[in-house]
Amino acid sequence: MISIAILLVIIGFYLLYTTSKKMDAPNLLGFEYKLVQHQSASKIAGLILLILSCILTINVFGLGAGIFLFLINLMTVASLIVLLAPLKLFNVKMLFICMAFCVAVEFLIHIP
């Protein structure tokens, strides 16, 4: 559940990041050209994904801790995307490796 929320934050922030006027859209994930063509729909989809992720974390952790965890996830993901996307280190392969690691940690380490 937490991995899904993190993935939603990554995709939602990346949608908002690619529709920024200051950002040159490099072809990192393969669908950036269509996002630039449909900027308003991409911004709405990005905001919906971020809100959905916030609701998901609030549902799992409660109101206060859920909002706090969502903000920590958003700050971490935002800083990583802003740092790694211009260097072309943020791609599908890296996203898959990170999500596989998150899912493995979520399901293999059970904290009572």
Side-chain angles (χ1 to χ4, degrees), residues 39-106:
Q39 285 191 355
S40 61
S42 298
K43 286 182 183 181
I44 291 171
L47 288 174
I48 288 172
L49 288 175
L50 288 177
I51 291 170
L52 187 63
S53 173
C54 184
I55 291 171
L56 207 64
T57 54
I58 288 172
N59 191 18
V60 172
F61 293 103
L63 184 64
I67 292 173
F68 186 65
L69 182 66
F70 170 74
L71 291 176
I72 290 173
N73 286 339
L74 183 62
M75 285 188 293
T76 305
V77 166
S79 63
L80 285 174
I81 288 176
V82 168
L83 287 172
L84 297 178
L87 299 173
K88 298 186 192 288
L89 294 174
F90 180 74
N91 52 22
V92 176
K93 182 180 175 183
M94 184 177 170
L95 182 62
F96 178 74
I97 290 170
C98 290
M99 288 312 301
F101 178 73
C102 287
V103 168
V105 167
E106 184 176 354

